[in-house]
Amino acid sequence: MKESRPDRSRRALVEAGVRLFATYGLRHTSMEAIAAEAKVAKTTAYAHFANKDEVFRAVVLHVSEQMIARAEAAAEVARSPEAAVLASLTSKQVEMFELVQRSRHASELLEAFTSVSGEQTEHAHELYIAALARRLARCPGVAKKQAPELATLLDHAAYGLMGRAANVEALRKRLALLVERVVERDA
């Protein structure tokens, strides 16, 4: 199915937002710059988004959905339930780590992520936690009733590890240890 012109314009604006917010941060990115980067008229940009905060929300949702889809794809090819949990967490957290490390505006973007885009990302996060809980419930010794809470705890712990990791390899090692200990503890 061919993408309509309004859909192409919206996608171009979101993709431009991804590049510009990473390069200049939220404060130093304007709607005019987003429109220029997307190669659309300013009026077209404002027809899709009332302001740059709306563009930022769309960017965060877009990036979150892609990140979660890749985490799920990584889990699908794992050989065991435990490996699927690790693959999912690792994919998501490594991608977040790399995104943050690439931008010198990381702290501003992470702060805005929480304050500006809460509702959109909360829904995507709930879907991710539900999928992680289903994978945990397949692990030997993990009670199905405890899987959702355990998924939330694992995700929060993984996020904390990501924020303190010196590099991707250190993050991968710590995530592996975390999953090993949690699943082992419940076995």
Side-chain angles (χ1 to χ4, degrees):
M1 189 167 134
K2 190 175 179 181
E3 191 176 36
S4 70
R5 180 177 290 180
D7 289 343
R8 278 193 309 272
S9 295
R10 181 177 174 80
R11 181 179 43 76
L13 288 161
V14 170
E15 290 171 357
V18 169
R19 291 186 298 275
L20 292 176
F21 292 134
T23 304
Y24 303 108
L26 183 60
R27 280 182 291 213
H28 298 291
T29 299
S30 67
M31 281 296 284
E32 292 76 13
I34 294 168
E37 177 77 12
K39 296 178 177 45
V40 301
K42 235 183 345 181
T43 55
T44 301
Y46 281 107
H48 288 282
F49 301 102
N51 55 46
K52 71 178 177 182
D53 285 352
E54 282 190 14
V55 177
F56 186 75
R57 282 191 275 284
V59 164
V60 170
L61 183 59
H62 172 74
V63 169
S64 296
E65 287 173 344
Q66 286 187 326
M67 190 178 300
I68 290 168
R70 285 189 285 274
E72 283 302 293
E76 286 297 319
V77 297
R79 296 176 185 237
S80 69
E82 298 88 346
V85 169
L86 178 59
S88 178
L89 281 171
T90 301
S91 174
K92 181 181 175 213
Q93 297 304 326
V94 165
E95 189 168 339
M96 283 184 74
F97 180 85
E98 290 173 342
L99 256 172
V100 168
Q101 294 303 312
R102 264 186 262 152
S103 176
R104 64 186 184 119
H105 302 282
S107 60
E108 177 198 358
L109 294 174
L110 287 173
E111 183 181 314
F113 176 84
T114 304
S115 64
V116 175
S117 64
E119 227 176 88
Q120 291 84 355
T121 55
E122 187 60 34
H123 178 67
H125 187 256
E126 287 170 5
L127 293 175
Y128 175 74
I129 292 298
L132 188 60
R134 285 191 300 277
R135 294 189 189 294
L136 279 163
R138 294 182 194 131
C139 294
V142 175
K144 281 189 178 185
K145 281 175 40 178
Q146 292 178 331
E149 184 177 355
L150 190 56
T152 300
L153 290 171
L154 263 176
D155 187 62
H156 285 283
Y159 183 80
L161 291 174
M162 183 271 302
R164 289 170 176 74
N167 55 51
V168 170
E169 191 52 41
L171 176 59
R172 287 180 188 279
K173 286 178 182 178
R174 289 178 178 167
L175 288 170
L177 182 61
L178 174 66
V179 171
E180 178 185 308
R181 296 292 185 231
V182 168
V183 173
E184 178 183 272
R185 185 207 70 194
D186 288 341

